[in-house]
Amino acid sequence: MVEVAVTESVPVISVTGGNPKGVLDLVKGHNIKTLVLVAARRQAEKAQELGADAVMVVGQEGGGHLGRSDTGTMVLTPQIVDHLDIPVVASGGIVDGRGLMAALAFGAEGIEMGTRFIATKECQAAHSHYKQALLDADEDSTVVIKRSLGTPARALKNTWTDRILQLEARELGYEGLKDYISGSANQRFIYDGLTEEGFAWAGQGAARIHDVPSVSDLMTKIITEAEDIRKKWSGQS
Amino acid sequence: MVEVAVTESVPVISVTGGNPKGVLDLVKGHNIKTLVLVAARRQAEKAQELGADAVMVVGQEGGGHLGRSDTGTMVLTPQIVDHLDIPVVASGGIVDGRGLMAALAFGAEGIEMGTRFIATKECQAAHSHYKQALLDADEDSTVVIKRSLGTPARALKNTWTDRILQLEARELGYEGLKDYISGSANQRFIYDGLTEEGFAWAGQGAARIHDVPSVSDLMTKIITEAEDIRKKWSGQS
């Protein structure tokens, strides 16, 4: 897949799972920018050493796979900014222009959003029940599963994740969990809309998502919010 | 104690444990501002209903007692700002001017810092070993204890907290834990400097504390950092 990307002159590759060395080595010497997802300072330093062009930091607020230390975006972003020379992109709990301005205050060069983009008109792969679950979410609506496997990941809390956590408490390991954490279980929720017969990733920011706009409207709103804050601080409003 | 505060015309009272109603009722009608610590949206709404003048939000990054939902400061602060009419003060993971500007971006009116002030010259009650432990901390250096009692609280990770977590995993309840989580165990670490014979509260922000300045120097530095960000955004630098 990386070779196809090189052949097709893809401008940017985002590396999000495991050791990034393989992908980074493959694209070296080609005119492709690489962005590596990291959830801890040491991972970030390693990515820089391996030649990444930028890192994307994910704090414990994020949806999907997270770091093992539960470090908040608020702490992890400035910490990594202080240790790296390459640009840092912040993620985890960011859903609006206020989050963007906070990320810039920490010294990040930009933001990444996951959950926020699922609740957009263009995200057609996501079943309407998945989007509705994000709209209904509050601060108690997500849980971290797979911690017992050393791969913690944040999902929407439902009877399915309750069951996963029960199995994890019984220390059943991967074999005891595999049917519950499988790709099929994920797809049943997110594609088929079976909200109690599978699981769906979501960040804590879901508590702050109240609409399903077009991506264009979302971007305009974020930029307007950020610009309002900037103006306020520069004494222009 | 509240009655003494009323008699002595204390200007501000901060209420940080349990239901704030008792204290808020006692100071009603007196010229005393009340600030209530909250770790969830519903607590914040309740505090406002009860007549609090402001709330102080603490995200999961904070040291000491936290909310049960592990919500990051990054999500909790703007969420509570959006639901309340009274001013919101942000806390949890904030140690510098960048955190201050992020909090203001979220719509908070100010910040509260705990761990950061322990590592100052003026904090004479804290043993030098406690301050050194904060300086040595990285992103893996804090843990949440007492989750099994429904009162999660963040402390510096050491053999003592490892033992607490082992006892919690065995579901021994308060009786099985009380000698380990007692005030004496806390004091042995923070006052006596016995860093493996007790526990000490600390927020995740400890990973970003690298000095023990005077409070005056700390405040000057925070204001300078915040002002630099403001200038950058207003195009003045």
Side-chain angles (χ1 to χ4, degrees):
Chain A
M1 202 153 78
V2 177
E3 281 157 20
V4 173
V6 169
T7 310
E8 297 292 329
S9 301
V10 164
V12 182
I13 290 184
S14 167
V15 189
T16 61
N19 188 332
K21 189 168 188 305
V23 175
L24 294 175
D25 284 350
L26 276 171
V27 304
K28 210 162 271 178
H30 297 279
N31 191 22
I32 296 178
K33 296 290 182 193
T34 51
L35 182 65
V36 176
L37 182 71
V38 297
R41 176 177 55 83
R42 279 179 291 267
Q43 285 177 350
E45 288 167 342
K46 187 78 185 168
Q48 175 172 286
E49 271 172 47
L50 292 171
D53 291 298
V55 295
M56 187 162 80
V57 171
V58 59
Q60 70 91 32
E61 296 89 336
H65 288 90
L66 304 169
R68 290 177 204 172
S69 299
D70 291 333
T71 315
T73 303
M74 195 94 184
V75 170
L76 200 57
T77 307
Q79 187 200 23
I80 289 181
V81 165
D82 287 345
H83 280 87
L84 262 59
D85 300 314
I86 58 176
V88 172
V89 172
S91 75
I94 300 173
V95 298
D96 62 6
R98 287 187 275 172
L100 167 58
M101 290 306 273
L104 296 179
F106 294 139
E109 303 287 333
I111 57 171
E112 186 267 355
M113 301 189 297
T115 311
R116 177 62 270 194
F117 282 120
I118 294 167
T120 59
K121 287 181 181 156
E122 283 86 346
C123 189
Q124 295 181 355
H127 194 280
S128 62
H129 292 177
Y130 185 7
K131 294 182 185 181
Q132 189 59 47
L134 296 177
L135 294 175
D136 294 342
D138 66 20
E139 66 271 34
D140 296 316
S141 299
T142 67
V143 287
V144 174
I145 59 172
K146 304 208 302 175
R147 202 185 284 281
S148 66
L149 303 180
T151 55
R154 188 175 296 282
L156 284 167
K157 178 176 159 58
N158 61 1
T159 52
W160 193 267
T161 61
D162 287 348
R163 182 75 183 136
I164 291 172
L165 294 179
Q166 284 163 9
L167 294 169
E168 293 199 74
R170 285 164 53 195
E171 298 178 10
L172 294 179
Y174 176 73
E175 283 302 314
L177 285 171
K178 64 181 182 186
D179 291 341
Y180 288 88
I181 60 174
S182 67
S184 313
N186 188 206
Q187 290 165 17
R188 281 198 299 274
F189 189 132
I190 67 175
Y191 297 152
D192 305 335
L194 302 171
T195 57
E196 298 296 335
E197 292 166 51
F199 67 92
W201 305 128
Q204 289 184 349
R208 301 195 50 240
I209 292 175
H210 310 299
D211 56 2
V212 182
S214 68
V215 170
S216 168
D217 285 351
L218 175 63
M219 298 308 272
T220 301
K221 192 174 170 203
I222 289 175
I223 292 166
T224 304
E225 287 165 347
E227 191 58 19
D228 285 348
I229 293 169
R230 200 190 65 78
K231 279 184 188 154
K232 188 174 163 191
W233 287 346
S234 63
Q236 292 170 25
S237 72
Chain B
M1 203 153 77
V2 177
E3 281 156 21
V4 173
V6 169
T7 310
E8 297 292 328
S9 302
V10 164
V12 183
I13 290 184
S14 167
V15 189
T16 61
N19 188 332
K21 190 169 187 304
V23 175
L24 293 175
D25 284 351
L26 276 172
V27 303
K28 210 162 271 178
H30 297 280
N31 191 23
I32 297 179
K33 296 290 183 193
T34 51
L35 181 65
V36 176
L37 182 71
V38 298
R41 176 176 54 82
R42 280 180 291 268
Q43 286 177 349
E45 288 168 342
K46 187 78 185 168
Q48 176 172 285
E49 271 172 47
L50 291 171
D53 291 297
V55 295
M56 188 162 80
V57 171
V58 59
Q60 70 90 32
E61 295 90 336
H65 288 90
L66 304 169
R68 290 177 205 173
S69 300
D70 291 332
T71 315
T73 303
M74 195 94 184
V75 170
L76 200 58
T77 307
Q79 187 200 25
I80 290 181
V81 165
D82 287 345
H83 280 87
L84 262 59
D85 301 313
I86 58 176
V88 172
V89 172
S91 75
I94 301 173
V95 298
D96 62 6
R98 287 187 275 171
L100 167 58
M101 290 306 274
L104 296 179
F106 293 139
E109 302 287 334
I111 57 171
E112 185 267 356
M113 301 189 297
T115 311
R116 177 62 270 195
F117 282 120
I118 294 167
T120 59
K121 287 181 181 156
E122 283 86 345
C123 189
Q124 295 181 355
H127 194 279
S128 63
H129 292 177
Y130 185 8
K131 295 182 184 181
Q132 189 59 47
L134 296 177
L135 294 175
D136 293 342
D138 66 20
E139 66 271 34
D140 297 316
S141 299
T142 67
V143 287
V144 175
I145 58 172
K146 303 208 302 174
R147 203 185 283 280
S148 66
L149 303 180
T151 55
R154 188 175 297 281
L156 284 167
K157 178 175 159 57
N158 61 1
T159 52
W160 194 266
T161 61
D162 287 348
R163 181 75 184 136
I164 291 172
L165 294 179
Q166 284 163 9
L167 293 169
E168 293 199 74
R170 286 165 53 196
E171 298 178 11
L172 294 179
Y174 176 73
E175 283 302 313
L177 285 171
K178 64 181 182 184
D179 291 341
Y180 288 88
I181 60 174
S182 67
S184 312
N186 188 207
Q187 289 165 16
R188 280 198 299 274
F189 189 132
I190 67 175
Y191 297 152
D192 305 335
L194 303 171
T195 57
E196 298 297 336
E197 292 165 52
F199 67 92
W201 305 128
Q204 289 184 349
R208 301 196 50 240
I209 293 175
H210 310 298
D211 56 1
V212 183
S214 68
V215 170
S216 168
D217 286 350
L218 176 63
M219 298 308 272
T220 301
K221 192 175 170 204
I222 289 174
I223 292 166
T224 304
E225 287 165 346
E227 190 58 19
D228 285 348
I229 293 169
R230 199 190 65 77
K231 279 185 189 154
K232 188 174 163 191
W233 287 346
S234 64
Q236 292 170 25
S237 73

